[in-house]
């Protein structure tokens, strides 16, 4: 069983998937940094606020003795929109990578068809010709 697991774990496709997963996670961090550090502040200029902190307050909260807001109910639409932008960037880059890899792959030429044998009609004609002799 250990041998079978080793063969399974060391298959090329599984190792490729693991490497791709690690690189994808690292790339997501880069995109998150890009969105949070560059895109969000630029969009925040439009709203005159930090874009990630934009929210729709449904129920006002009350500050406790330490000054921490308690009981507030709000929709954090700024953070949600930031994550949507992250997703769109990652999805677009992954699309470009897959498209590039597919373009680089050699197009498989269709295998030539095996030579077809004689048809029934051809065999009957040949038998007829042999019988005429």
């Amino acid at each position: 069983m250990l041998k079978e697991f080793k063969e399974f774990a060391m298959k090329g496709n599984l190792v490729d998937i693991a490497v791709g997963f690690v690189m994808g996670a690292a790339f997501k961090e880069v995109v998150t940094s890009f969105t949070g550090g560059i895109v969000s502040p630029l969009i925040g200029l439009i709203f005159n606020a930090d874009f990630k902190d934009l929210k729709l307050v449904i129920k006002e909260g009350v500050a406790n003795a330490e000054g921490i807001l308690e009981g507030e109910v709000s929709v954090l639409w700024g953070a949600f929109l930031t994550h949507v932008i992250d997703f769109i960037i990652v999805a677009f880059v992954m699309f470009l990578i897959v498209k590039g890899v597919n373009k680089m792959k050699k197009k498989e030429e269709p295998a030539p068809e095996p030579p077809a044998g004689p048809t029934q009609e051809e065999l009957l004609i040949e038998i007829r010709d042999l019988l005429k002799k």
Side-chain angles (χ1 to χ4, degrees):
M1 190 158 109
L2 185 60
K3 182 180 175 185
E4 287 179 48
F5 177 74
K6 183 179 176 184
E7 288 174 10
F8 169 75
M10 296 320 241
K11 283 186 180 178
N13 292 342
L14 188 62
V15 174
D16 292 345
I17 290 171
V19 169
F21 182 77
V22 171
M23 289 183 69
F27 179 71
K28 187 211 176 286
E29 292 298 319
V30 170
V31 170
T32 301
S33 174
F34 170 74
T35 307
I38 296 173
V39 175
S40 289
L42 293 176
I43 295 174
L45 284 174
I46 298 169
F47 295 102
N48 293 325
D50 185 11
F51 187 64
K52 287 184 180 179
D53 294 336
L54 294 176
K55 60 186 173 183
L56 173 65
V57 177
I58 298 172
K59 178 184 171 195
E60 292 288 334
V62 179
N64 63 11
E66 291 90 33
I68 299 172
L69 195 61
E70 291 180 340
E72 181 180 82
V73 178
S74 58
V75 177
L76 304 174
W77 67 273
F80 174 74
L81 200 53
T82 301
H83 291 298
V84 169
I85 292 169
D86 285 350
F87 172 77
I88 290 170
I89 292 170
V90 170
F92 181 70
V93 170
M94 290 298 121
F95 167 75
L96 292 177
I97 288 172
V98 168
K99 187 173 180 168
V101 167
N102 287 340
K103 198 172 197 178
M104 288 174 44
K105 284 183 182 178
K106 281 187 175 179
K107 292 188 178 186
E108 295 180 20
E109 296 178 16
E113 293 184 23
T119 63
Q120 286 185 352
E121 289 81 20
E122 292 172 339
L123 289 174
L124 289 172
I125 291 170
E126 188 179 330
I127 293 171
R128 182 193 68 196
D129 292 343
L130 287 173
L131 288 173
K132 282 184 181 179
K133 291 183 182 178

